[in-house]
Amino acid sequence: MKTFVLYLTALLTAGILTGVSLPLLRRLAAKKFLDVPGGLKHHAGAVPVLGGCGIFLGTLASLTLIRLITAFPSGTLHNLRGIFIGGTLIFALGLADDLNKPKGVSVPVKLIVQALTAAALIYYGVCIHAFGSAWISWPLTFLWVVGLTNAFNLLDIMDGLCVSQAIVCTLGLAVIALPSEYIYVNFAALALLGACLAFWPYNHAKRKIFLGDSGATFLGFMIAALSIGTGYSERSNWGFLAPLFILAVPLFDTAFVSLARILKGKNPLKGSNDHIALRLKKCHWPPVMILSAFAAAGLFFNVLAFTLTHCCAQIALALFIFSAAALALATLWLLHVKTE
């Protein structure tokens, strides 16, 4: 009962603090820090971009409170320091990018700072442990963290898309991690979930506020870090692959956008209108239908992730074959949608 109250405290504290801060941040940003339509941005009118500050403040304040009222094991505190340091670094990088639009921060600087956040996680013991050798685990951790940090930023192309995927992924992480003793994952996932739920209405309201790079990259980093911070193979030897399913939608979206740009002879790091959401919009799907499709896909793959942590080798293989076939068919169909 006490543990449940603490989990609920983490969720509600992050949600309340985020919800209270967002109107204040919107008024502050409305004076100067705005996302102006143009180029690939088709929203109507300038929109404040400091929404990520609310999610960052709510999440870290919630975890700080839980730290003060909970007896964390020493190893868990060590892990949590890495997430605090990396999360703060990635948020500061995104905020610098938001505050210096339209020029922003250069791609090389972004990649260097993102690599440093991955290094912070590794130093504090948060890394991929599925392989015995650090020569394999450390590079994979770098790729995972940097890739997902940017994957969530790529998803921030439509109102509610990035934050809805963050809600689905953190919910999946919480469901899988809660029975375990990886309490920093449990608390951090629930704090992040509370902050995202509080932000959701402000991403759709008439007086809306955007996540900005600070919010989208912070969400991507946190979810990447938490997804490698829990045990998946306690009941199934194939469970260690569950994060691929938990984060299947943002991973697939990034892979598809990169592939589409390469096939057109474009730089995959440069912006374009090849995003899945924009292609569905070209097919005359209304925004609510696109958001629902992304959320349904995310929930479906999270159910498969949970199944993977409890199943035998034969079922795990069947899940991979089915998922690969479904994503391949989706890729072929989406590539035929005209984007110009």
Side-chain angles (χ1 to χ4, degrees):
M1 183 66 181
K2 181 181 178 182
T3 303
F4 172 78
V5 171
L6 288 171
Y7 286 153
L8 188 61
T9 300
L11 179 80
L12 293 178
T13 300
I16 292 169
L17 290 177
T18 300
V20 168
S21 67
L22 287 173
L24 302 175
L25 288 165
R26 190 188 184 284
R27 283 197 288 271
L28 173 65
K31 298 177 181 179
K32 186 176 180 181
F33 308 119
L34 302 168
D35 192 329
V36 181
L40 297 173
K41 300 176 181 180
H42 306 295
H43 52 274
V47 179
V49 292
L50 296 185
C53 296
I55 288 181
F56 172 77
L57 293 171
T59 302
L60 264 64
S62 173
L63 289 177
T64 301
L65 173 64
I66 293 298
R67 164 67 186 93
L68 294 174
I69 64 176
T70 305
F72 277 79
S74 58
T76 294
L77 280 176
H78 192 69
N79 299 143
L80 200 56
R81 288 190 190 101
I83 291 177
F84 264 77
I85 293 170
T88 302
L89 274 175
I90 207 71
F91 168 75
L93 173 67
L95 186 61
D97 201 44
D98 290 334
L99 299 184
N100 289 281
K101 295 293 186 184
K103 186 179 179 181
V105 179
S106 68
V107 172
V109 172
K110 286 182 180 179
L111 292 176
I112 290 171
V113 176
Q114 289 169 6
L116 287 174
T117 65
L121 289 178
I122 293 171
Y123 180 80
Y124 284 99
V126 181
C127 68
I128 295 172
H129 295 289
F131 305 94
S133 171
W135 292 102
I136 300 175
S137 297
W138 290 5
L140 285 178
T141 301
F142 273 96
L143 289 173
W144 182 256
V145 172
V146 173
L148 279 167
T149 297
N150 290 292
F152 274 83
N153 203 22
L154 279 175
L155 271 177
D156 195 25
I157 196 71
M158 177 182 290
D159 289 350
L161 188 57
C162 178
V163 75
S164 64
Q165 279 303 303
I167 289 170
V168 170
C169 293
T170 50
L171 187 60
L173 282 169
V175 169
I176 291 175
L178 278 179
S180 73
E181 295 301 319
Y182 299 89
I183 59 173
Y184 80 91
V185 176
N186 303 345
F187 283 119
L190 289 170
L192 200 62
L193 176 61
C196 289
L197 289 172
F199 176 81
W200 172 264
Y202 290 92
N203 210 188
H204 297 277
K206 201 168 185 181
R207 297 171 62 82
K208 70 175 64 172
I209 186 170
F210 283 169
L211 276 173
D213 282 5
S214 60
T217 54
F218 176 72
L219 289 177
F221 169 83
M222 290 293 289
I223 292 171
L226 297 178
S227 67
I228 57 176
T230 189
Y232 298 98
S233 302
E234 295 175 353
R235 299 180 184 86
S236 169
N237 291 331
W238 294 89
F240 73 97
L241 295 171
L244 294 174
F245 286 82
I246 294 173
L247 290 146
V249 172
L251 288 172
F252 174 65
D253 181 77
T254 300
F256 177 84
V257 172
S258 300
L259 174 64
R261 289 172 180 172
I262 290 170
L263 290 176
K264 290 182 176 181
K266 297 179 179 179
N267 185 340
L269 298 178
K270 297 292 184 180
S272 71
N273 57 355
D274 291 301
H275 297 265
I276 293 175
L278 297 182
R279 286 173 181 259
L280 294 177
K281 197 173 181 180
K282 285 284 185 180
C283 294
H284 307 292
W285 286 34
V288 66
M289 189 174 174
I290 296 173
L291 288 178
S292 299
F294 268 79
L299 288 170
F300 174 74
F301 279 106
N302 270 268
V303 170
L304 294 188
F306 181 81
T307 304
L308 195 63
T309 61
H310 292 76
C311 71
C312 61
Q314 291 84 353
I315 294 177
L317 181 61
L319 291 180
F320 271 97
I321 293 173
F322 169 78
S323 299
L327 294 176
L329 289 173
T331 299
L332 292 174
W333 178 70
L334 287 165
L335 285 173
H336 281 87
V337 177
K338 302 297 182 182
T339 59
E340 304 302 334

